[in-house]
Amino acid sequence: ERISPEAPVPVLRVVHQEDALGGAGSVAADIAALGAVPHCVGITGEDGDGEVLRGLLTKLGAQTTGLISANGRPTTRKTRLVGLAQHRHRQQLIRIDDENTEPVSEAVAEAMIASACQLIDTCQAVCIEDYGKGVVTSKLAQGVISAARKRGLPILVDPAHTHDYSRYAGATVVTPNRTETEKLIGRRLRSVAAVHAAAADILSRCHTESVCVTLDADGAALIGPGGVFEHIPTKSRDVYDVTGAGDEVLAAMAVAVAAGATLREATALANVAGGLEVEKFGCVPISRDEVIGEILLEHHKTLGKVRTLDQL
């Protein structure tokens, strides 16, 4: 509402505060909203934030027996201070991160692999959400991927912003966005044609069976072995906030594949869910009904009002 008389900075008056799941917790919330049950494996600190996180996960129906409390490591917390422009438009002013991004110890990695192996028999798909916070080490990723492959489960990975994807070797599909893919191969990808031209290089550097490159307004490109390349376009949208879009794409693809969809079908559904996410402020899980409603709306626009008996 005003600028501070002490320094040229905005003054915020606290009117609302809320806790929400982020990172891998955001993926779990997205999975639950799409009608599936997430079984969570990860670490928290031995602190109040860890208890809040467990409570939020439990409330949405997630299984939390795979969460491990790591002594001497805080629960990752991102605090966003959000102001209202003209009392209407929310605008993030600053973010404060409280975290430890050092690689977890061998003992913690072993405990997480053991937790994953215990839970994996009840699952239809495995998600690895890597935010580069020191949790998804090569040892952990390869341990989980190996266990999932032995059981014939699909493994979907949202990668960290890194040059080296070798830790994801053997996964079914990895879902880097345009910027992450550019960093991986060391050149710009301004168009779908550029992604197509670099497809073989992208696939070889990812070390996975397939790659789904998300391309914001251009939709997504699905790259597979044997020169397979498919461009799945998406609807043009007004982007309000990209926070949580990658989490939503991973969750939607995982739920679709777990339910028997092909990777192409899963990518198309993820396009819809990710598109709905960027129209909202913050990490807001997209429900199954919202995805279905959006698909029906698009089909109705192309069909008009007239239906055949078969369509009805």
Side-chain angles (χ1 to χ4, degrees):
E1 295 176 342
R2 63 193 177 98
I3 300 299
S4 170
E6 303 160 1
V9 295
V11 176
L12 293 184
R13 179 169 55 87
V14 178
V15 295
H16 177 68
Q17 182 174 327
E18 67 176 278
D19 295 309
L21 293 162
S26 173
V27 178
D30 293 338
I31 287 171
L34 291 169
V37 178
H39 295 255
C40 304
V41 177
I43 61 169
T44 71
E46 295 178 335
D47 50 27
D49 287 332
E51 293 303 312
V52 171
L53 187 148
R54 288 170 188 267
L56 290 170
L57 287 170
T58 301
K59 186 176 180 179
L60 59 84
Q63 300 296 317
T64 61
T65 55
L67 294 185
I68 297 165
S69 295
N71 185 31
R73 191 181 182 105
T75 302
T76 294
R77 180 181 64 202
K78 299 179 180 180
T79 304
R80 294 173 177 85
L81 302 184
V82 179
L84 284 179
Q86 297 180 352
H87 304 281
R88 291 193 304 274
H89 308 295
R90 285 176 288 186
Q91 178 68 49
Q92 188 178 155
L93 298 180
I94 192 169
R95 194 182 85 189
I96 303 162
D97 289 3
D98 184 9
E99 61 186 1
N100 179 347
T101 59
E102 293 296 315
V104 296
S105 67
E106 289 283 312
V108 169
E110 290 284 1
M112 291 177 68
I113 292 170
S115 290
C117 290
Q118 283 182 342
L119 295 169
I120 218 166
D121 288 332
T122 63
C123 298
Q124 279 74 52
V126 174
C127 295
I128 298 177
E129 174 60 78
D130 187 0
Y131 267 83
K133 302 300 182 183
V135 178
V136 184
T137 60
S138 292
K139 181 183 182 68
L140 176 64
Q142 284 302 299
V144 173
I145 289 170
S146 176
R149 287 183 68 88
K150 286 177 183 176
R151 292 160 176 81
L153 296 179
I155 307 121
L156 301 93
V157 181
D158 186 8
H161 199 61
T162 176
H163 293 287
D164 182 12
Y165 281 27
S166 60
R167 75 185 75 167
Y168 314 128
T172 308
V173 62
V174 65
T175 63
N177 61 30
R178 192 194 303 262
T179 304
E180 290 164 341
T181 309
E182 288 175 341
K183 181 172 183 176
L184 179 67
I185 66 171
R187 61 182 185 273
R188 299 296 299 272
L189 298 169
R190 296 180 181 273
S191 65
V192 175
V195 178
H196 193 179
D201 189 20
I202 294 169
L203 186 61
S204 67
R205 289 174 184 266
C206 286
H207 308 285
T208 54
E209 293 176 18
S210 299
V211 181
C212 175
V213 182
T214 56
L215 298 167
D216 40 78
D218 290 325
L222 190 58
I223 304 168
V228 170
F229 182 91
E230 286 192 84
H231 173 229
I232 297 99
T234 191
K235 172 184 172 183
S236 180
R237 297 177 185 275
D238 293 326
V239 177
Y240 186 34
D241 184 5
V242 298
T243 304
D247 303 338
E248 187 65 56
V249 166
L250 178 65
M253 285 191 73
V255 173
V257 168
T262 65
L263 273 182
R264 193 198 185 287
E265 291 167 337
T267 302
L269 288 168
N271 264 351
V272 175
L276 290 169
E277 170 66 36
V278 299
E279 291 183 334
K280 301 188 178 187
F281 185 83
C283 290
V284 181
I286 304 301
S287 71
R288 182 170 49 183
D289 286 345
E290 287 178 282
V291 174
I292 293 171
E294 183 72 7
I295 293 169
L296 291 175
L297 181 64
E298 286 302 303
H299 280 278
H300 285 185
K301 285 179 181 177
T302 58
L303 290 173
K305 292 185 177 180
V306 180
R307 299 287 183 277
T308 66
L309 285 175
D310 286 343
Q311 287 171 340
L312 288 172

